[in-house]
Amino acid sequence: MDIETVNRFLNPDISMMQGVGDMEVTEEENTLAIQVGHIVTAKALKSGVDAVMPAMPDPEIPASVGQFHTFPYAMPAAQQPYVVDDPVIQARLTRVYEQEQTGELEEPNSMVVACASNVCTSEQALDVKPQSSGEQIVLYVCGGGFVSSDTALLKWHYMRVSQELGQRVFVPRYHVAPAHVFPRAIHDVYTAFMYLVNQGFRAQDITVLGISAGANIALAVVELLRIQKEPEPSRIVVVAPCVDLTLSMDSWTRNHDKCVLGYIPEENPHSMPRVYYGDVEPGVDVFAMLRHPLLSPLFGRAHAGPPLQIHSGTCDALADDAVALAQHVPHAELITYPGRNHYTILRGKQQLDAMYAHMRRFIQTPCSE
């Protein structure tokens, strides 16, 4: 299989965009997806991620389905400097905070708002402020292995989330590695949350939803909100979460032949954790650093936080991440999908209907005081 076949398969206009995710996955498509995933991993191992990540087109979704609007956002003036417990991470967070504060940060931030036609009009979709007192919204953090913020690839999904939940969905287009390493993505999403609160949304009316690597970033942002003593979202939903960047879970090898995600050990500089972290500071043990909760949320707090719902396929290379996270967080709800992997968990009408039903129940159930 050559790189043209890989690029053609990854093109969302050709495969996963058809049917807005409702088309059932054939065994042939799943097998091809696994082969492509392992080929991309092998090429990244040799050449680095830049050599194998094709540009994702922005697919057209009819206006009758809903509206999209992209708008810039910036750090609110009241956003406080970060204060964390690790001096290396503190230095990195301080640098990105000061660069944004002084206007020196490369590439400004932008966010997409998706509004299904059953939720609001096109004019309402353009207004970033709450449409009513207590309007509930979703802050959706796309996946992409920390090297691709899949705002195009997952466009159909967050529009469907808006449609199914009856809420507007805000999607930060966070910056990715290797051009923008940790903690830029966390800063971008944290700032998006603070921006929405500054626009009048209440933290208690925001659900944070993260997919794959986006789940890692979402959980890290909520941990940072706790550290900063800022209001936290009402709920968190994660799908196929990547929460252990030490890559120590057995499912990486157990599900290797069943999942699109290929495995590159973290000691390799082309591995996902190392690309995300970037250049290692002198004297820093990067393997110990990868256990910090802002990099591996699995090792974060186990005490009370927002209610957490976890979705995971049993054939996902990250299946054990999800199980370990559910065991670590006492109030978490784990929902597993037999036979589903990192690709098929978001494919097929029956699968998606089941997932959306669980999300609706979780999000619409009042939180206990």
Side-chain angles (χ1 to χ4, degrees):
M1 190 183 301
D2 57 24
I3 195 66
E4 282 189 21
T5 305
V6 172
N7 289 351
R8 184 168 59 83
F9 180 80
L10 290 176
N11 185 327
D13 286 333
I14 294 171
S15 60
M16 56 191 70
M17 285 307 302
Q18 295 181 1
V20 197
D22 278 350
M23 292 181 66
E24 297 299 337
V25 179
T26 65
E27 188 61 36
E28 180 182 9
E29 180 186 355
N30 186 40
T31 300
L32 180 59
I34 293 170
Q35 291 174 349
V36 168
H38 291 186
I39 287 170
V40 168
T41 301
K43 289 183 177 293
L45 182 62
K46 293 180 180 178
S47 310
V49 69
D50 285 344
V52 296
M53 288 302 297
M56 293 296 178
D58 193 359
E60 291 294 328
I61 293 181
S64 59
V65 175
Q67 300 290 328
F68 295 94
H69 170 56
T70 303
F71 60 93
Y73 71 94
M75 188 168 70
Q79 187 166 320
Q80 296 298 306
Y82 301 112
V83 180
V84 298
D85 58 0
D86 184 276
V88 174
I89 295 178
Q90 175 69 62
R92 288 188 175 212
L93 282 168
T94 297
R95 182 163 58 249
V96 71
Y97 177 91
E98 292 179 347
Q99 286 174 337
E100 174 145 351
Q101 192 177 48
T102 59
E104 299 173 8
L105 200 60
E106 294 181 12
E107 302 181 19
N109 293 321
S110 65
M111 189 161 14
V112 176
V113 57
C115 182
S117 56
N118 65 314
V119 175
C120 62
T121 65
S122 57
E123 291 78 15
Q124 290 172 323
L126 299 177
D127 189 354
V128 181
K129 294 184 179 297
Q131 300 296 310
S132 60
S133 176
E135 180 190 1
Q136 296 187 332
I137 60 171
V138 174
L139 181 66
Y140 184 111
V141 190
C142 290
F146 304 104
V147 297
S148 171
S149 178
D150 289 339
T151 50
L153 189 65
L154 290 171
K155 190 175 184 179
W156 62 269
H157 188 245
Y158 52 80
M159 178 58 80
R160 281 288 296 276
V161 168
S162 174
Q163 183 182 67
E164 295 285 342
L165 300 182
Q167 300 180 14
R168 289 194 290 171
V169 177
F170 291 82
V171 189
R173 302 177 68 178
Y174 63 85
H175 293 79
V176 297
H180 305 280
V181 299
F182 170 85
R184 177 66 191 271
I186 293 174
H187 169 78
D188 290 350
V189 177
Y190 179 95
T191 297
F193 184 91
M194 297 300 293
Y195 176 86
L196 291 171
V197 171
N198 191 61
Q199 292 297 109
F201 293 100
R202 299 183 305 175
Q204 67 203 61
D205 294 325
I206 301 175
T207 294
V208 174
L209 192 163
I211 310 292
S212 187
N216 177 300
I217 295 166
L219 290 166
V221 165
V222 175
E223 175 70 8
L224 191 55
L225 286 167
R226 181 191 68 82
I227 293 170
Q228 295 290 106
K229 295 182 173 55
E230 296 288 355
E232 299 178 31
S234 65
R235 295 169 178 82
I236 311 168
V237 178
V238 293
V239 179
C242 171
V243 293
D244 176 13
L245 291 191
T246 69
L247 307 184
S248 60
M249 296 295 169
D250 289 342
S251 54
W252 277 105
T253 52
R254 186 181 70 251
N255 288 337
H256 175 77
D257 295 333
K258 305 173 188 175
C259 188
V260 297
L261 295 181
Y263 175 66
I264 303 177
E266 80 270 17
E267 59 263 23
N268 188 293
H270 295 314
S271 69
M272 175 181 62
R274 294 290 298 277
V275 172
Y276 178 48
Y277 186 83
D279 292 338
V280 181
E281 292 83 352
V284 169
D285 180 349
V286 68
F287 308 113
M289 182 64 73
L290 289 174
R291 291 180 61 86
H292 191 280
L294 294 183
L295 284 153
S296 291
L298 177 61
F299 305 115
R301 59 175 164 172
H303 49 83
L308 172 65
Q309 186 182 69
I310 306 165
H311 298 261
S312 175
T314 59
C315 291
D316 197 327
L318 295 170
D320 288 356
D321 280 47
V323 172
L325 180 63
Q327 293 171 342
H328 182 69
V329 180
H331 55 274
E333 176 189 12
L334 174 64
I335 301 164
T336 57
Y337 303 94
R340 296 284 171 167
N341 63 28
H342 209 73
Y343 178 73
T344 58
I345 195 169
L346 291 179
R347 304 289 178 269
K349 187 176 189 308
Q350 184 176 359
Q351 166 66 18
L352 290 173
D353 285 350
M355 181 178 291
Y356 294 135
H358 286 303
M359 288 184 184
R360 276 197 304 273
R361 169 186 54 77
F362 178 70
I363 292 172
Q364 294 174 1
T365 299
C367 292
S368 58
E369 297 298 329

